[in-house]
Amino acid sequence: GESVGLHLPTLSVQEGDNSIINCAYSNSASDYFIWYKQESGKGPQFIIDIRSNMDKRQGQRVTVLLNKTVKHLSLQIAATQPGDSAVYFCAEGLTNAGKSTFGDGTTLTVKP
Amino acid sequence: DAGVIQSPRHEVTEMGQEVTLRCKPISGHNSLFWYRQTMMRGLELLIYFNNNVPIDDSGMPEDRFSAKMPNASFSTLKIQPSEPRDSAVYFCASSLAFYEQFFGPGTRLTVL
């Protein structure tokens, strides 16, 4: 049938629970990966990045895991809060290419 | 720093009219990106500049779209003539050395 738009994956969690958002990337040569958060009516905002020579990186309440074997990236948010409700994008890039490629995004909804 | 500045924030125009979107990147950033976001296609990279030079314009949909960066502190994206299918939110982003991108608030374009 005719496409009516992107069907973004959605994740609904209870406030205080941990969230895990997944992303499959396409280019095995990508050497950096970034997670962005986009709140309604705003532009995407940087959360955390990871280089391809790492498999884990932690920030404040967030952890990114990289599995290069299966080209998979995940973002873990601890103690999810209502303010975490947003669309989350992963982006992959190759330093010499000069640009990042964004995934379709995942919508996170936090229930109070 | 005020961040990436885009103007106008909202634009409503009629089909066939010329539309010019403006962007002021963060001072000191050497890369500038123009994106388009729609429900149908998600976040699409249209064009990016490095040191004011267009590097990759493969995402520009057609000849009706053009972008310029006359200096390090200003860029424009022009659509002429505009069509209803150009309705979208257009984001400008800037970065230093291609990694983390800082997005502006976007311009919501409606072509009637």
Side-chain angles (χ1 to χ4, degrees):
Chain A
E2 185 177 302
S3 171
V4 293
L6 293 174
H7 295 281
L8 297 185
T10 59
L11 177 64
S12 183
V13 301
Q14 205 70 38
E15 181 179 359
D17 288 351
N18 296 334
S19 303
I20 300 176
I21 300 171
N22 297 303
C23 174
Y25 64 92
S26 58
N27 188 353
S28 56
S30 293
D31 60 7
Y32 69 89
F33 306 86
I34 301 177
W35 280 100
Y36 289 87
K37 172 186 180 184
Q38 185 177 22
E39 296 175 276
S40 180
K42 298 182 179 180
Q45 182 179 26
F46 172 91
I47 302 173
I48 190 169
D49 64 351
I50 188 169
R51 305 287 297 180
S52 60
N53 60 354
M54 303 170 68
D55 53 21
K56 180 179 181 179
R57 189 166 188 214
Q58 288 185 290
Q60 188 176 19
R61 277 201 311 119
V62 295
T63 301
V64 56
L65 299 178
L66 175 63
N67 185 332
K68 294 183 288 293
T69 302
V70 294
K71 293 191 290 187
H72 183 268
L73 196 65
S74 69
L75 177 71
Q76 300 178 2
I77 305 174
T80 314
Q81 303 168 359
D84 295 327
S85 294
V87 177
Y88 289 80
F89 293 94
C90 67
E92 59 177 305
L94 185 61
T95 304
N96 292 337
K99 64 178 181 179
S100 306
T101 301
F102 282 73
D104 290 338
T106 295
T107 300
L108 174 66
T109 302
V110 182
K111 296 175 288 186
Chain B
D1 198 313
V4 175
I5 299 172
Q6 291 187 248
S7 65
R9 293 295 310 278
H10 302 273
E11 176 82 24
V12 180
T13 191
E14 292 187 346
M15 181 174 63
Q17 296 298 306
E18 176 181 302
V19 174
T20 299
L21 310 182
R22 297 172 175 80
C23 176
K24 176 178 168 53
I26 292 173
S27 177
H29 283 187
N30 59 359
S31 295
L32 183 139
F33 306 81
W34 281 103
Y35 291 88
R36 177 173 69 177
Q37 188 173 40
T38 62
M39 289 297 292
M40 286 292 293
R41 303 169 76 95
L43 191 65
E44 302 173 275
L45 176 64
L46 300 177
I47 185 172
Y48 79 94
F49 296 84
N50 182 240
N51 293 324
N52 312 339
V53 176
I55 302 300
D56 184 350
D57 65 354
S58 60
M60 296 287 261
E62 48 197 277
D63 292 345
R64 296 185 298 107
F65 286 69
S66 62
K68 294 181 180 179
M69 192 165 185
N71 57 62
S73 59
F74 184 65
S75 177
T76 59
L77 178 67
K78 184 178 293 186
I79 308 172
Q80 181 184 23
S82 58
E83 297 183 3
R85 60 194 170 116
D86 301 330
S87 298
V89 180
Y90 290 82
F91 288 104
C92 174
S94 70
S95 74
L96 188 62
F98 300 123
Y99 300 135
E100 175 187 352
Q101 294 180 28
F102 293 80
F103 283 76
T107 296
R108 181 172 295 276
L109 173 65
T110 302
V111 183
L112 302 174

